[in-house]
């Protein structure tokens, strides 16, 4: 719901901390540092075309300086903003191979951070909305000042203590949850601050949009195919046919789904039996936001945040959105399960 109060993100984080008198402030510091990283990334994204920083890593710009790709730059920005904060014991990023260690001389904290520094890679060079996605978990190994391990990172999504994203669209937004509803902030460039723009965001029970890469339809299983056909049939009770919207940046497609309702699908298919999206960096945080806004997030069969991760970069199908729409999808997609399992076992 839109808010009438003028509240900066800084103030909001402080207010939330006061609601938990037992809190040490470590988690608030983590959120503040992450906000700073997002501000730096949004600045780089906004001036990308001007500063010649787009292009392939390893190239030179017109000034003869080495060009850093925007996704690599975003990755470094988050690591630099977070690693000396004293709140994290380990990190992992879609852009980095394994666990990202907290430097030896830095204080080690009680949390781990997983992130996709710049989601929507195919849209970076064409000025279409991209974003940053993050997931925060409490470490499971003892919080005794030691470095975190893979065990701290590889936790199921329902254990997340916070999740969110920044969206670099017609305005920059920061949307996050700490497990008590979803709050959205909009960036004011002139003041250099995020202002609370919606608090306790709830998504509609049913929407009128579906979002899927129809170019993959040749590889869809029967249930997916029948479901998408169903969405295009006329039915006044459910408001079908639905309209198709597909940006190809998960965080942007999910943002629209959060606000307008409807469905986002990156299902399992013959070519990609585990879908495309990454469980730890994309699916878990986006699923937490969807659920916190009253929607549902599944892999087509069960709650996706129950998936026990086995590796950092693993992929998982995602079917999420408005509750009634996802329930419809699950009825059709049940048929795909056996076909998918047979394919994986081959
Ligand atoms: P990325 O992490 O390389 O950006 O890939 C993930 C993106 C998602 O943002 C988006 O939903 C999906 O890939 C689009 O994939 P496709 O082009 O296959 O439809
Ligand atoms: Mg991504």
């Amino acid at each position: 719901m839109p808010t009438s109060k003028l509240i900066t993100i800084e103030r909001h984080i402080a207010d939330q901390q006061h609601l938990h008198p037992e809190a040490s402030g470590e988690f608030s510091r983590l959120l503040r540092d992450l906000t700073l990283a997002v501000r730096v990334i949004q600045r780089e994204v906004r001036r990308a075309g001007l500063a010649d920083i787009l292009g392939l890593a390893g190239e030179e710009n017109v000034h003869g300086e080495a060009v850093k790709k925007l996704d690599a730059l975003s990755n470094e920005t988050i690591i630099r903003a977070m690693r000396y904060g004293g709140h994290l014991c380990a990190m992992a990023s879609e852009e980095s191979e394994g666990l990202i260690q907290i430097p030896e001389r830095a204080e080690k904290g009680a949390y781990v951070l997983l992130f996709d520094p710049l989601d929507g890679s195919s849209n970076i060079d064409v000025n279409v909305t991209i974003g940053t996605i993050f997931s925060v978990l409490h470490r499971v190994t003892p919080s005794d000042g030691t470095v975190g391990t893979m065990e701290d990172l590889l936790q199921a999504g329902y254990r997340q203590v916070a999740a969110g994203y920044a969206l670099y669209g017609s305005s920059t937004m920061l949307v996050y949850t700490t497990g008590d509803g979803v709050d959205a902030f909009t960036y004011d460039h002139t003041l250099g601050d995020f202002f609370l723009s919606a608090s306790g965001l709830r998504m509609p029970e049913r929407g009128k949009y579906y979002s899927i890469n129809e170019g993959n339809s040749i590889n869809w299983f029967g249930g997916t195919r029948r479901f998408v056909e169903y969405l295009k049939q006329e039915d006044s009770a459910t408001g079908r046919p639905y309209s198709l919207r597909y940006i190809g940046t998960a965080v942007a497609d999910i943002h629209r789904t959060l606000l307008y309702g409807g469905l986002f699908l990156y299902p399992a298919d013959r070519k990609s039996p585990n879908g495309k999206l990454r469980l730890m960096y994309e699916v878990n945080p986006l699923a937490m936001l969807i659920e916190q806004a009253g929607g549902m997030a599944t892999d087509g069969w069960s709650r996706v945040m129950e998936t026990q991760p086995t590796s950092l970069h693993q992929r998982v199908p995602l079917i999420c959105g408005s509750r009634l729409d996802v329930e419809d999808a699950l009825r059709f997609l049940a048929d795909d399960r056996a076909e998918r399992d047979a394919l994986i076992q081959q």
Side-chain angles (χ1 to χ4, degrees):
M1 120 184 3
T3 170
S4 53
K5 285 188 268 176
L6 202 57
I7 299 177
T8 64
I9 196 162
E10 183 67 25
R11 172 69 194 275
H12 185 76
I13 293 171
D15 286 352
Q16 293 301 111
Q17 191 188 322
H18 284 137
L19 294 178
H20 302 274
E22 74 292 353
S24 65
E26 193 174 337
F27 182 66
S28 300
R29 286 199 302 279
L30 189 164
L31 287 179
R32 284 194 189 98
D33 288 348
L34 203 51
T35 307
L36 175 64
V38 163
R39 277 164 41 182
V40 174
I41 297 171
Q42 82 87 31
R43 184 195 61 185
E44 298 304 325
V45 167
R46 298 297 175 204
R47 66 177 198 181
L50 299 167
D52 280 349
I53 56 172
L54 286 181
L56 297 172
E59 281 183 356
E60 288 188 346
N61 66 15
V62 289
H63 313 292
E65 296 154 347
V67 170
K68 191 152 281 179
K69 227 178 150 191
L70 211 44
D71 40 15
L73 198 72
S74 307
N75 197 37
E76 274 174 35
T77 301
I78 297 179
I79 296 172
R80 284 180 56 207
M82 306 306 292
R83 66 184 163 181
Y84 286 105
H87 31 55
L88 296 178
C89 64
M91 287 185 265
S93 159
E94 200 190 289
E95 284 290 317
S96 303
E97 184 68 20
L99 180 154
I100 303 168
Q101 294 284 6
I102 301 301
E104 210 173 316
R105 60 180 192 281
E107 202 185 317
K108 319 292 181 301
Y111 297 94
V112 296
L113 174 73
L114 298 109
F115 56 94
D116 180 352
L118 213 52
D119 178 50
S121 39
S122 70
N123 284 326
I124 296 176
D125 291 355
V126 286
N127 206 2
V128 173
T129 299
I130 46 182
T132 298
I133 314 174
F134 61 89
S135 161
V136 181
L137 295 142
H138 213 276
R139 68 187 295 177
V140 288
T141 53
S143 210
D144 54 3
T146 53
V147 291
T149 65
M150 213 42 124
E151 193 190 342
D152 295 310
L153 292 166
L154 292 180
Q155 298 185 57
Y158 69 85
R159 298 182 62 109
Q160 291 171 110
V161 294
Y165 58 78
L167 197 68
Y168 315 112
S170 46
S171 59
T172 297
M173 287 190 78
L174 187 60
V175 179
Y176 77 87
T177 178
T178 53
D180 186 25
V182 178
D183 294 326
F185 299 82
T186 306
Y187 192 68
D188 184 309
H189 290 264
T190 56
L191 296 168
D193 223 332
F194 280 100
F195 288 87
L196 186 64
S197 44
S199 139
L201 219 136
R202 301 296 293 174
M203 62 190 298
E205 290 263 282
R206 185 181 284 288
K208 54 181 183 183
Y209 296 116
Y210 73 102
S211 193
I212 187 168
N213 185 342
E214 291 229 29
N216 292 335
S217 62
I218 189 89
N219 290 308
W220 287 348
F221 297 126
T224 307
R225 196 183 299 274
R226 284 189 292 280
F227 179 58
V228 173
E229 273 315 304
Y230 163 89
L231 292 174
K232 295 190 246 187
Q233 286 159 9
E234 216 159 35
D235 175 56
S236 54
T238 53
R240 287 177 289 134
Y242 282 14
S243 285
L244 169 67
R245 294 282 187 280
Y246 193 71
I247 299 167
T249 298
V251 58
D253 281 313
I254 297 280
H255 182 69
R256 181 198 52 254
T257 306
L258 267 178
L259 296 183
Y260 288 169
L263 282 153
F264 173 81
L265 310 94
Y266 213 113
D269 66 24
R270 269 181 208 100
K271 191 172 156 221
S272 313
N274 291 313
K276 175 184 182 188
L277 302 179
R278 312 282 183 167
L279 175 63
M280 305 307 287
Y281 314 112
E282 293 164 331
V283 173
N284 275 339
L286 295 173
M288 183 176 182
L289 288 158
I290 290 269
E291 283 196 4
Q292 284 290 318
M296 278 175 77
T298 77
D299 59 4
W301 306 289
S302 9
R303 186 185 182 211
V304 76
M305 282 200 288
E306 306 268 341
T307 311
Q308 182 54 49
T310 51
S311 70
L312 280 178
H313 294 285
Q314 94 185 57
R315 299 173 195 272
V316 72
L318 177 63
I319 283 82
C320 66
S322 292
R323 191 177 59 82
L324 296 175
D325 287 315
V326 175
E327 282 173 3
D328 286 345
L330 296 190
R331 276 195 293 279
F332 283 86
L333 267 67
D335 297 346
D336 293 351
R337 183 78 191 245
E339 257 184 280
R340 201 281 299 236
D341 289 352
L343 205 66
I344 284 184
Q345 268 146 34
Q346 267 173 23

